[in-house]
Amino acid sequence: MGAVVGALFVGVDGGGTSTRCVVAAESGEILGRGRAGGANAVSVRDPSANLLAALLAALGGLDRSRVAGGVFGLAGAAQARALAERAWSEAELPGRPRVVPDMLVAFTGTTDAADGTVLVAGTGAVGARVRSRRIVRRADGFGWLFGDEGSGVWLGRRAVAAALTALDGRGAPTALIGPVAAALLGEAGDPEDVPALVAAAYDRIAEAGPAWLGTLAPAVDAAARRGDQVARDIVREAARRLGRTARVVGEPDGTGEERGPLVLAGSLLTEPTELARLVRAELGPRTTSLPAGDGAAGAAALALRAALPPGDPRAGEGHRALIGRTFADRPERRADDGRG
Amino acid sequence: MGAVVGALFVGVDGGGTSTRCVVAAESGEILGRGRAGGANAVSVRDPSANLLAALLAALGGLDRSRVAGGVFGLAGAAQARALAERAWSEAELPGRPRVVPDMLVAFTGTTDAADGTVLVAGTGAVGARVRSRRIVRRADGFGWLFGDEGSGVWLGRRAVAAALTALDGRGAPTALIGPVAAALLGEAGDPEDVPALVAAAYDRIAEAGPAWLGTLAPAVDAAARRGDQVARDIVREAARRLGRTARVVGEPDGTGEERGPLVLAGSLLTEPTELARLVRAELGPRTTSLPAGDGAAGAAALALRAALPPGDPRAGEGHRALIGRTFADRPERRADDGRG
């Protein structure tokens, strides 16, 4: 290690729908930003091309030989490492990047604390314990059939079931029938044609994949906010389950680390949803929760820290500068972040 | 119509795993029986060949020109009618068969009542109201993603989720981990390797289809009987949901029909399962429930009734003879069937 003056650090946050990249100096100053399509190896046709496009956009005219490290935050697909290394070498960058779970860069993009918890609720849902900026424990993240409790897909599947159950007389009437039927049959369809709704639901998932169910989540949240009891019960149950996921991973495991903050990530928890409000209520006032910041900056912070000797004060300074810059863009979040 | 002396009636019950056929005389005497593989258009490669094989076996050396009617009970696939007509014509039988829902022949194979209710819990789950031997109302039957509440697939999916949830600390410990891990990884696998379990569960469903989940149902029922609290909660919830399905379709709709018996069909309700016991308890002592008899005999009874003028006493006599013969083979069920 040693002097890193003049060195550049690359951070990439590759999500399901977009990939973001930052290039930072050792000071934490962001010198370039790039953005491209999604990088999920399961759902995106050419994730490596999107990783490369985000990298090239962020590098711009910067001298690539100065790049001293890079970190990619990617969802846990087995192919993630190969995809990242391919994009890195095609961008003609020196050395090899580190690949970490996207949950970790969500955490390090939000706080400079070494220990804490991250709870994600977007298309999927998962919780993780972070110790010394590594994921040491997980809960849920079991996917659309067996888990992801409280996620967008979880909410959407329950919305379809609740609409059908109301229509056949087993369940209470609900305002969810309208938006579910519109999503499945279009505005011209008969919202009470149960066989057509059932067939359309299976067809839609076969065509568009299970993530399609997550597109119904905003309608569930809106119906709950408007007081629909069935939707309220679904969203409350989602909040209870997400709260359980966060609690299970949220406690220190006796190895001396701090409890640390809880980072709330994923669109359902970073947007001002009813679900986010209920999750915070579920976790109680003793939990310091922060809406997730910029995962690409968090990845760059990990790259910068890895290049410095343990205890070097420039690590924390650079990290805080990187994510502070992000927070400065969204001052309304500053009061929440609890940093000194 | 008119004289049917010497006429033959064909009944076919085509299920997911087997097809059964009977050929009966007007008296209700069964003259031939046949059996072949499944006839479900969705899950079986060549359902029409299985329908034909069952027909040919039951017809044996009988004179096909005497066949005066046939009814096929088949699950509600759109292709069911075409499949039945193809098998009928390939068996060189005169006229055209009638195709009805398999739930209806389960009902008419159990009781000669005109009105009543049928509740099915096998791989899937559905309830139906029968009026004048026709299905007039349904509840559930919405398939593995949005319904079939209390079915084998429903139980199996919850068993996998409960095992995973116990392993990551969100749920209570459960004896379900053992059988779920053995089914997913084999006896040599590590039953606590959560990522391997999750990957195997998705792989298994991708390969074998969602019906595979139903193969876990006996393990859930057994664990519940042995007192495992997690399994008990799953089976109790299944019974509650099946009870709701039956109640919703079980009440007469004010058109003057009798309430009639409740026929319990599907392996989870006809076998002596803990689930069947809890469903009966859920429905209460006022409900007369009968385990489903021979659906092929029920289909033949419908064929025989269709050939006779309304009110002809031979219809009821033939119907009772057809299904009585079935019950005579299983005398332990006679006390339950409530017939005079």
Side-chain angles (χ1 to χ4, degrees):
Chain A
M1 312 267 183
V4 290
V5 176
L8 299 178
F9 301 94
V10 175
V12 178
D13 184 14
T17 55
S18 77
T19 298
R20 280 166 313 113
C21 178
V22 304
V23 178
E26 178 233 310
S27 63
E29 188 186 359
I30 291 176
L31 305 176
R33 287 184 187 274
R35 192 177 185 117
N40 188 306
V42 176
S43 60
V44 174
R45 194 170 310 150
D46 194 354
S48 195
N50 288 336
L51 291 172
L52 178 61
L55 274 173
L56 294 178
L59 287 161
L62 295 168
D63 176 2
R64 294 173 199 197
S65 70
R66 286 166 59 201
V67 169
V71 169
F72 287 63
L74 295 171
Q79 309 99 306
R81 174 171 304 280
L83 292 172
E85 290 185 352
R86 190 176 136 204
W88 189 260
S89 93
E90 286 180 358
E92 298 178 347
L93 292 168
R96 296 174 83 182
R98 182 175 157 217
V99 179
V100 301
D102 53 352
M103 288 183 287
L104 182 61
V105 304
F107 184 83
T108 58
T110 312
T111 174
D112 65 334
D115 302 329
T117 308
V118 55
L119 177 67
V120 185
T123 302
V126 62
R129 177 78 193 155
V130 176
R131 190 168 71 219
S132 305
R133 296 186 190 88
R134 291 181 178 269
I135 303 283
V136 293
R137 187 173 178 190
R138 292 166 192 255
D140 205 352
F142 295 153
W144 72 296
L145 291 179
F146 302 109
D148 284 9
E149 296 186 347
S151 68
V153 165
W154 189 97
L155 290 166
R157 188 147 66 84
R158 269 149 195 80
V160 174
L164 294 172
T165 304
L167 287 169
D168 80 4
R170 284 177 299 149
T174 170
L176 291 171
I177 293 172
V180 165
L184 288 172
L185 304 179
E187 294 295 341
D190 173 1
E192 302 204 345
D193 184 343
V194 171
L197 289 169
V198 173
Y202 285 91
D203 286 352
R204 194 60 62 91
I205 289 173
E207 287 158 17
W212 173 80
L213 288 165
T215 64
L216 297 170
V220 183
D221 203 81
R225 246 194 329 265
R226 285 195 300 267
D228 182 73
Q229 192 58 48
V230 170
R232 286 183 69 83
D233 289 346
I234 293 172
V235 175
R236 275 212 196 102
E237 180 66 20
R240 261 195 299 271
R241 292 182 185 231
L242 287 166
R244 181 171 74 164
T245 299
R247 272 193 303 275
V248 159
V249 293
E251 291 301 323
D253 59 5
T255 55
E257 89 268 40
E258 301 275 328
R259 186 172 186 199
L262 169 65
V263 170
L264 299 177
S267 59
L268 292 176
L269 298 181
T270 54
E271 306 286 322
T273 61
E274 178 70 1
L275 179 62
R277 191 181 73 76
L278 292 173
V279 166
R280 282 191 297 265
E282 178 79 18
L283 293 168
R286 283 173 45 211
T287 301
T288 305
S289 68
L290 314 176
D294 180 350
L302 287 174
L304 190 156
R305 283 182 174 276
L308 289 166
D312 189 315
R314 289 176 295 175
E317 288 158 16
H319 190 165
R320 283 187 291 274
L322 260 163
I323 66 179
R325 192 177 311 276
T326 306
F327 273 73
D329 297 340
R330 290 179 286 179
E332 78 281 6
R333 290 191 170 160
R334 233 179 189 164
D336 284 333
D337 76 354
R339 284 184 285 110
Chain B
M1 314 265 184
V4 292
V5 176
L8 299 178
F9 301 93
V10 175
V12 179
D13 184 15
T17 56
S18 77
T19 298
R20 280 166 315 111
C21 178
V22 303
V23 179
E26 178 234 308
S27 64
E29 187 186 1
I30 291 175
L31 305 175
R33 286 184 187 274
R35 192 176 187 121
N40 187 305
V42 176
S43 59
V44 174
R45 194 170 309 149
D46 194 353
S48 194
N50 289 335
L51 291 172
L52 178 61
L55 275 174
L56 294 178
L59 287 162
L62 296 167
D63 176 2
R64 294 171 200 197
S65 70
R66 287 166 57 201
V67 169
V71 168
F72 285 63
L74 294 171
Q79 308 100 305
R81 176 172 303 278
L83 291 172
E85 290 185 352
R86 188 174 136 205
W88 190 261
S89 92
E90 288 181 357
E92 298 181 344
L93 293 167
R96 296 173 84 181
R98 182 177 157 214
V99 179
V100 301
D102 52 352
M103 289 184 288
L104 182 61
V105 305
F107 184 83
T108 58
T110 311
T111 174
D112 65 334
D115 301 328
T117 308
V118 55
L119 177 68
V120 185
T123 301
V126 63
R129 176 80 192 154
V130 176
R131 189 167 72 219
S132 304
R133 297 187 189 88
R134 291 181 178 269
I135 303 282
V136 293
R137 186 172 178 190
R138 292 165 191 256
D140 205 354
F142 295 154
W144 73 298
L145 291 179
F146 303 110
D148 284 9
E149 297 187 347
S151 68
V153 165
W154 189 97
L155 289 167
R157 188 147 64 84
R158 268 148 196 82
V160 174
L164 295 172
T165 304
L167 288 168
D168 80 3
R170 283 176 300 149
T174 170
L176 291 171
I177 293 171
V180 166
L184 288 172
L185 304 178
E187 294 295 342
D190 173 1
E192 303 204 345
D193 184 344
V194 172
L197 290 169
V198 173
Y202 285 92
D203 286 351
R204 194 59 63 91
I205 289 172
E207 286 159 18
W212 173 81
L213 288 165
T215 65
L216 297 170
V220 183
D221 203 81
R225 247 195 329 264
R226 284 195 300 266
D228 182 74
Q229 193 58 47
V230 170
R232 286 183 70 80
D233 288 347
I234 292 172
V235 175
R236 276 213 196 99
E237 179 67 20
R240 261 195 298 272
R241 293 182 184 229
L242 287 165
R244 181 171 74 164
T245 299
R247 272 193 303 276
V248 159
V249 293
E251 292 300 325
D253 59 5
T255 54
E257 89 269 40
E258 301 275 327
R259 185 172 186 198
L262 168 65
V263 170
L264 299 176
S267 59
L268 292 175
L269 298 181
T270 55
E271 306 286 322
T273 61
E274 179 70 1
L275 179 62
R277 191 181 72 75
L278 292 173
V279 166
R280 282 190 297 264
E282 177 79 18
L283 294 168
R286 282 174 46 214
T287 302
T288 305
S289 67
L290 314 175
D294 181 349
L302 288 174
L304 191 155
R305 284 183 174 276
L308 290 165
D312 190 314
R314 290 176 294 176
E317 288 158 17
H319 190 165
R320 282 186 292 275
L322 260 164
I323 66 178
R325 194 177 311 276
T326 307
F327 274 72
D329 297 341
R330 290 180 285 180
E332 78 282 5
R333 290 189 169 163
R334 233 179 187 167
D336 283 334
D337 77 355
R339 285 184 283 110

